[in-house]
Amino acid sequence: MTKIIVDGTEIEVPAEYTLLQAAEEAGAEVPRFCYHDRLSVAGNCRMCLVEVKGGPPKPAASCAMSVRDLRPGPNGEPPEIFTNTPMVRKAREGVMEFLLINHPLDCPICDQGGECDLQDQAMAYGVDSSRFAENKRAVEDKYIGPLVKTFMTRCIHCTRCVRFSTEVAGVTDLGMTGRGEDAEITTYLESAMTSELQGNVIDLCPVGALTSKPYAFQARPWELTKTEGVDVMDAVGSAIRIDTRGREVMRIMPRLNEAVNEEWISDKTRFIWDGLATQRLDRPYLREGGKLRPASWQEAFALIANRVQANSPQHVGAIGGDLASVEDLFALKSLMQAIGSPNYDCRQDGTVLHPRDGRATYLFNATIEGIEAADALLIIGSNPRHEAAVLNARIRKRWRMGKFPIAVIGEQNDLTYDYDYLGAGPDSLKDLAGGKSNFARVLADAERPMILIGQGALTRGDSAGILASIAQLAIDTGVVGEGWNGFSVLHTAAARVGGLDIGFVPQDGGLNTAKMLESAGKGELLSLFLAGADEIDLDALGSSFVVYVGTHGDRAAHRADVILPGAAYTEKSGTYVNTEGRVQFTPRAAFPPGEAREDWAIYRALSQVLGVPLAFNSLDQLRAELYSQYSHMAAIDEVALKESGQIEKLARNSGAINSDPFVSPVSDFYLTNPIARASKVMAECSQLAKVQHVEAAE
């Protein structure tokens, strides 16, 4: 620690701190445009000028000078800086005047208005007139894709967007061309950006040069009601803010959560909101004569009761979807138990993971934040760039720190960082376990090695054997040891871990998803509840009576005999558990449309009609019952301790393994769930990504 005096206040800070960080530590506010905590230092806006005692007779850029660069006083006094002297103020006012030379000053029509750093700083350091009398420079707006809108005349060349794209996102889409007055930020040949994180440049831009294209001219920030929630587009559980106007979601923004997403969110998370209002199910429907017709809740419940009560409990099943909350699955499980059916499963992707093996066997044990502590990584059967874009950015962050070897077994994709490609399937895994690969030695020599297991390795017919062999490899190479557990499963569905935690899997003699589909095709499973399960093979259901509880007219709705409209994740208060086992809570930000209801309430009302009323009548009562059975669900934003010994038990399992290559379950990043498939913006992004992929292949 080093002593430094800031505006007369002596503090101790690390020597590697910049003067800007030291000033903020002392409570002084220093304006900035180009500086960002998570990006490299550029030092080109000059707004953060401070005066250094004993230094040159001009202010210094506080973002580009470290505390260790300062000289002590003549008698060994701590170095001293000032942030509020007349020289500093005059310099900042001059910088602001310079930055506004070419800015169009069009705040009333700018989507950044009300949330603009330039506005805030202009209030503090702006002047009422300018010495610049020449004509302003105009810069042509650039096309950089369907997500980010450009007003490049406003650009002050802070290069935040360039540094983010290069350093965090790992793509070289943005750069600067020209010099002096001709300098411009642009993409290569004005093509669309290719990153799954590109929307974050909107938040980074301090002057309104980059704004949200789908949100353009839709609302103003002071009109919006802001609700802190959790993202469900993947299993990362990114912290988000849902902005609503009335009953309509207008935009989704990131929130700071250092343990999960830092301050980034994926483009699917950010721009999914238009899909919340389209193709919505807002009333019950019944299928008659091959066609769906609107019906009342009483009609729908009566038909379900007649069909279900006519069947034996063994002939009734339920499959949980990827976006269901813990409360929804708990209510559905309670309903199936009340009926007497053991056939229910939350694993619609067919993953081999099971709670009987222990919680450590299906979680990302290293934790997302723990990636930065790892010193070697093996990725098996996963494409984290598409399955969890924000988590992949964390891997890249660790890779940029250096001394972080990475290897991949599975598909060979551009993950935004370098890696050793070991092979496509289980044969390469077998070679690694047998010591035939050099990377086995890398894992064994590492202090905190990590294995990332994707669903591409866990949703196959031979996944039981593969999972056991990976567990054995983890034990042999020190991935699982005292004080460190690097055995990390990456889920792709937000509901999966929560469903496994509450035991939403077949009970004794019950059927899993694959067997339920097989049984339905044979005419043995007569009734099936789909809780937002749209990713299964619906053609395999045969003549089964299908009840779909969901939000959108997606795949399952076209097959269903009865449709019961549910609530989307923004329209209900719910609990989710992310891939690392972190329990997260999201409140309701809006209300479901029309006659739609929260899913748990649908199951409770249906249980009454079926003659098996559930033990709870409110959400609070449901949660009390949930917490009494699964106490860790009450510990919000905490990761419960896991027993690493469960991995050793898992390694004792066995199973046949074939040679088929691992394939990621996410073939299209933008269209992974019903909300995404209802989004016009996501459809445009998907089409553009396919074109870019073809062009890259050529």
Side-chain angles (χ1 to χ4, degrees):
M1 302 293 280
T2 303
K3 291 183 179 180
I4 184 174
I5 301 174
V6 181
D7 296 333
T9 303
E10 184 176 308
I11 59 171
E12 285 191 6
V13 295
E16 60 272 14
Y17 264 31
T18 63
L19 300 188
L20 190 151
Q21 292 172 311
E24 291 190 333
E25 192 75 16
E29 184 176 349
V30 180
R32 86 291 304 265
F33 291 118
C34 70
Y35 178 80
H36 193 277
D37 289 337
R38 303 187 197 275
L39 304 176
S40 61
V41 174
N44 51 7
C45 80
R46 320 308 289 182
M47 197 64 200
C48 64
L49 296 172
V50 297
E51 182 179 351
V52 179
K53 185 176 182 179
K58 62 178 182 179
S62 59
C63 69
M65 182 176 286
S66 301
V67 172
R68 64 161 59 94
D69 297 330
L70 298 179
R71 294 179 298 176
N75 299 314
E77 301 95 338
E80 190 170 359
I81 64 172
F82 303 95
T83 66
N84 53 9
T85 62
M87 180 175 78
V88 171
R89 182 161 190 90
K90 183 180 178 181
R92 291 175 182 173
E93 289 176 352
V95 169
M96 180 62 68
E97 183 183 358
F98 173 75
L99 293 178
L100 294 178
I101 280 176
N102 290 310
H103 197 284
L105 305 177
D106 56 346
C107 300
I109 64 166
C110 179
D111 276 313
Q112 202 90 326
E115 300 173 321
C116 179
D117 294 341
L118 186 64
Q119 284 183 329
D120 296 339
Q121 300 307 329
M123 287 294 295
Y125 300 101
V127 293
D128 59 351
S129 61
S130 175
R131 289 166 285 180
F132 188 79
E134 290 80 6
N135 293 328
K136 290 179 179 282
R137 180 189 72 158
V139 182
E140 184 179 353
D141 294 337
K142 309 294 191 299
Y143 171 78
I144 60 175
L147 302 179
V148 183
K149 189 174 184 179
T150 62
F151 292 89
M152 302 312 294
T153 302
R154 299 173 185 162
C155 180
I156 63 170
H157 300 164
C158 71
T159 67
R160 277 186 178 183
C161 56
V162 178
R163 284 175 284 149
F164 171 84
S165 302
T166 306
E167 297 166 11
V168 179
V171 296
T172 54
D173 292 339
L174 288 177
M176 180 178 286
T177 62
R179 299 183 66 185
E181 191 175 283
D182 297 324
E184 296 181 20
I185 301 289
T186 184
T187 60
Y188 181 69
L189 297 180
E190 296 194 12
S191 59
M193 296 177 67
T194 57
S195 172
E196 296 78 17
L197 299 168
Q198 61 181 279
N200 291 287
V201 301
I202 298 167
D203 303 325
L204 288 171
C205 182
V207 295
L210 303 175
T211 59
S212 174
K213 188 175 286 188
Y215 176 72
F217 311 123
Q218 295 295 313
R220 290 296 193 187
W222 51 84
E223 301 177 274
L224 304 175
T225 301
K226 301 169 178 61
T227 307
E228 295 184 351
V230 175
D231 173 54
V232 299
M233 294 298 110
D234 52 33
V236 174
S238 300
I240 59 173
R241 193 189 77 201
I242 306 163
D243 290 358
T244 57
R245 185 173 61 191
R247 300 175 68 96
E248 187 177 5
V249 176
M250 301 304 298
R251 66 176 179 178
I252 293 174
M253 304 284 285
R255 286 191 296 117
L256 182 67
N257 189 329
E258 295 289 356
V260 182
N261 61 305
E262 298 181 295
E263 59 187 82
W264 319 124
I265 55 174
S266 73
D267 293 340
K268 186 165 52 176
T269 301
R270 183 184 296 271
F271 297 105
I272 201 76
W273 51 268
D274 71 312
L276 292 166
T278 54
Q279 299 184 8
R280 286 302 301 270
L281 302 172
D282 59 356
R283 68 190 66 183
Y285 288 87
L286 303 182
R287 189 174 299 276
E288 292 182 353
K291 294 183 177 180
L292 292 169
R293 70 165 179 86
S296 66
W297 282 99
Q298 290 77 14
E299 282 184 282
F301 281 172
L303 178 60
I304 296 171
N306 290 335
R307 296 297 295 266
V308 173
Q309 290 174 340
N311 302 328
S312 164
Q314 297 293 331
H315 296 156
V316 181
I319 300 175
D322 292 348
L323 306 183
S325 68
V326 172
E327 289 85 351
D328 299 339
L329 294 177
F330 182 77
L332 180 55
K333 178 187 176 183
S334 301
L335 177 62
M336 299 303 293
Q337 289 177 332
I339 295 173
S341 172
N343 308 319
Y344 46 87
D345 198 354
C346 66
R347 305 165 299 175
Q348 67 167 337
D349 59 355
T351 181
V352 72
L353 300 171
H354 200 286
R356 66 167 176 258
D357 296 322
R359 201 164 185 252
T361 64
Y362 61 82
L363 292 183
F364 201 92
N365 294 292
T367 72
I368 298 172
E369 195 172 22
I371 293 172
E372 297 183 29
D375 52 5
L377 172 63
L378 173 64
I379 300 174
I380 302 174
S382 175
N383 178 3
R385 181 174 178 180
H386 286 172
E387 296 170 20
V390 174
L391 184 144
N392 192 64
R394 185 84 72 151
I395 296 175
R396 174 174 169 81
K397 178 182 179 182
R398 174 63 185 89
W399 172 77
R400 292 185 68 244
M401 295 177 186
K403 297 182 179 179
F404 189 53
I406 304 174
V408 170
I409 298 177
E411 294 178 298
Q412 196 168 5
N413 297 298
D414 179 10
L415 300 181
T416 71
Y417 41 79
D418 297 334
Y419 58 83
D420 295 326
Y421 185 65
L422 305 183
D427 290 342
S428 302
L429 180 61
K430 186 178 180 180
D431 291 342
L432 182 65
K436 297 179 181 178
S437 172
N438 292 331
F439 201 79
R441 176 52 53 191
V442 173
L443 287 175
D445 291 343
E447 293 184 12
R448 292 176 298 278
M450 179 177 162
I451 298 179
L452 188 155
I453 308 124
Q455 298 304 307
L458 303 176
T459 54
R460 303 156 39 116
D462 59 350
S463 289
I466 290 172
L467 185 59
S469 63
I470 295 174
Q472 187 61 55
L473 174 65
I475 294 168
D476 294 342
T477 56
V479 171
V480 178
E482 188 176 351
W484 174 256
N485 187 349
F487 185 90
S488 303
V489 177
L490 179 60
H491 290 269
T492 57
R496 191 75 72 246
V497 175
L500 293 172
D501 275 355
I502 65 170
F504 198 96
V505 291
Q507 301 306 297
D508 295 339
L511 306 177
N512 60 19
T513 297
K515 290 181 179 178
M516 275 191 272
L517 296 181
E518 182 183 349
S519 181
K522 294 178 180 178
E524 298 172 355
L525 190 73
L526 303 178
S527 298
L528 182 63
F529 290 88
L530 299 181
D534 290 87
E535 317 305 326
I536 60 174
D537 182 9
L538 297 164
D539 295 331
L541 295 179
S543 59
S544 291
F545 178 72
V546 177
V547 179
Y548 178 65
V549 183
T551 59
H552 287 73
D554 203 63
R555 298 165 179 169
H558 289 82
R559 169 60 183 83
D561 297 290
V562 178
I563 294 176
L564 303 178
Y569 72 105
T570 58
E571 300 159 359
K572 60 187 175 186
S573 174
T575 304
Y576 292 89
V577 187
N578 76 346
T579 190
E580 61 182 351
R582 184 181 302 274
V583 180
Q584 300 173 303
F585 172 77
T586 180
R588 180 168 54 198
F591 288 90
E595 299 177 32
R597 297 292 183 267
E598 294 184 41
D599 299 44
W600 74 265
I602 295 173
Y603 302 130
R604 172 61 183 86
L606 182 58
S607 71
Q608 192 75 33
V609 178
L610 292 172
V612 286
L614 300 180
F616 45 83
N617 296 311
S618 67
L619 188 56
D620 288 339
Q621 291 177 1
L622 184 154
R623 284 182 174 143
E625 184 72 19
L626 174 67
Y627 298 159
S628 67
Q629 297 184 33
Y630 309 99
S631 57
H632 72 280
M633 288 293 176
I636 303 300
D637 203 34
E638 291 185 14
V639 179
L641 294 175
K642 292 111 23 200
E643 296 181 16
S644 56
Q646 295 167 348
I647 311 296
E648 297 178 5
K649 294 179 182 177
L650 183 66
R652 301 191 197 106
N653 297 342
S654 60
I657 300 176
N658 61 49
S659 299
D660 296 339
F662 297 133
V663 179
S664 171
V666 179
S667 57
D668 191 331
F669 168 75
Y670 299 100
L671 304 178
T672 55
N673 59 66
I675 304 175
R677 291 189 284 269
S679 167
K680 182 181 177 182
V681 176
M682 292 296 102
E684 188 175 354
C685 290
S686 174
Q687 186 60 36
L688 182 62
K690 290 177 183 176
V691 172
Q692 290 172 332
H693 182 72
V694 171
E695 291 177 349
E698 293 176 349

